[in-house]
Amino acid sequence: MVTNTIVTDTFAEGIETEITTMVLTLWYGEKQALKDISIDIPKNSITAFIGPSGCGKSTFLRCFNRMNDLIKTCRIEGEVLIGGENVYESGVDVVELRKRIGMVFQKPNPFPMSIYENIAYGPRIHGEKNKGKLNVIVEETLRAAALWDEVSDRLNSPALDLSGGQQQRLCIARTLAVKPEIILLDEPCSALDPISTSKIEDLLMDLKKDYTIIIVTHNMQQAARVSDHTAYFLLGELLEFGETRQIFEMPRQKSTEDYITGRFG
């Protein structure tokens, strides 16, 4: 196995960096799950994390909003810079950080309440009590998630009555309602049918003009379709990172090519 890390080519002119990690290393107890990962993730674009199961891509994703803090045996070294601030510095408000960095999980997880209340919940928690403003937030975010036309006449219906694809778009809308800067998605389409998957992909491509999006996916076609940049992970290492077209058409690492072409993984 090739062990040297490939960091991104220089971004095209005008592309800003949103997230920088510097020699990020993570352990679960005695097991090292991430090894010296340094990467610059561009702003207002979609970055895909690919690699075989257990390679560290979801673990790395959860470093950005400190979700790994919830695992008692987890220990992290290195830096994660967002807006120039190391999010692992003491004194960082983790609640505020998770407001800035929304997350959508593999299985849709709407709250057991109405469609309206799913969206209004976050803004309320962060202090918004005005009914008129909440109504605007609900409509705007459902429109942004391409769901308004499908649910506008049943906002008080249970969110759990929606289809799986609609529930996932509702979860994206719920994330947008607290006005994040970054959206993390951990295999958001793995439980969805092809039509729902296509709607989610179209939505992500529309949202990237306003948000930085990072998606973990096992679906190579999905990574090729939606992402601007792709990072390939293997055994806790970042082996290759660059523009998606370059990664899929001219990978520098043999193991990247083998994974993309289905020879392993």
Side-chain angles (χ1 to χ4, degrees):
M1 186 187 87
V2 181
T3 57
N4 57 305
T5 298
I6 300 286
V7 182
T8 183
D9 296 328
T10 302
F11 295 148
E13 187 175 350
I15 296 181
E16 299 178 54
T17 295
E18 181 79 69
I19 301 173
T20 296
T21 71
M22 301 175 65
V23 200
L24 188 72
T25 302
L26 181 146
W27 290 265
Y28 293 127
E30 298 299 315
K31 180 185 177 183
Q32 187 171 2
L34 297 174
K35 302 172 185 176
D36 299 333
I37 297 180
S38 297
I39 192 173
D40 292 324
I41 295 176
K43 188 173 184 176
N44 294 117
S45 65
I46 301 175
T47 298
F49 291 171
I50 65 171
S53 296
C55 67
K57 53 190 185 294
S58 292
T59 294
F60 187 49
L61 188 78
R62 292 194 298 266
C63 289
F64 302 144
N65 62 353
R66 291 185 52 171
M67 288 291 286
N68 292 312
D69 289 11
L70 303 175
I71 301 172
K72 290 183 179 179
T73 60
C74 181
R75 176 168 58 91
I76 294 176
E77 294 180 359
E79 296 185 346
V80 176
L81 304 176
I82 300 176
E85 175 190 30
N86 181 11
V87 302
Y88 284 92
E89 287 283 355
S90 61
V92 169
D93 186 335
V94 178
V95 173
E96 181 63 26
L97 176 70
R98 291 176 185 156
K99 179 185 174 187
R100 292 170 58 198
I101 306 175
M103 190 159 192
V104 178
F105 297 92
Q106 184 172 355
K107 273 188 72 175
N109 61 340
F111 301 144
M113 53 182 67
S114 71
I115 295 167
Y116 182 97
E117 291 301 328
N118 263 268
I119 305 299
Y121 181 84
R124 279 204 187 101
I125 288 293
H126 290 285
E128 184 56 74
K129 306 299 182 186
N130 183 283
K131 178 69 172 176
K133 290 182 179 178
L134 288 172
N135 290 344
V136 170
I137 290 170
V138 169
E139 179 172 350
E140 285 182 347
T141 53
L142 287 172
R143 286 190 184 279
L147 195 56
W148 175 255
D149 291 342
E150 297 172 39
V151 303
S152 60
D153 60 346
R154 49 180 173 142
L155 294 178
N156 293 319
S157 298
L160 294 174
D161 287 350
L162 297 173
S163 70
Q166 288 174 325
Q167 288 185 20
Q168 195 65 301
R169 280 184 284 149
L170 179 68
C171 292
I172 293 173
R174 189 176 67 195
T175 296
L176 299 179
V178 295
K179 303 187 183 304
E181 302 160 18
I182 299 164
I183 303 173
L184 311 178
L185 303 106
D186 195 354
E187 297 196 61
C189 302
S190 63
L192 303 182
D193 62 85
I195 293 175
S196 297
T197 294
S198 178
K199 288 182 178 180
I200 296 287
E201 290 177 359
D202 290 344
L203 170 59
L204 296 181
M205 294 179 75
D206 186 55
L207 289 175
K208 73 176 181 179
K209 65 181 183 295
D210 297 313
Y211 303 93
T212 298
I213 297 171
I214 307 171
I215 180 170
V216 168
T217 181
H218 276 106
N219 186 324
M220 295 301 94
Q221 291 79 17
Q222 181 172 75
R225 282 193 300 263
V226 305
S227 68
D228 303 290
H229 296 82
T230 296
Y232 170 62
F233 292 82
L234 183 63
L235 298 176
E237 294 186 74
L238 172 63
L239 288 195
E240 191 158 356
F241 179 50
E243 291 186 1
T244 295
R245 182 172 177 178
Q246 175 260 307
I247 295 291
F248 278 82
E249 295 181 3
M250 295 178 292
R252 296 190 179 99
Q253 300 278 21
K254 179 67 164 55
S255 64
T256 310
E257 180 181 357
D258 288 346
Y259 180 73
I260 288 171
T261 56
R263 293 192 184 99
F264 82 96

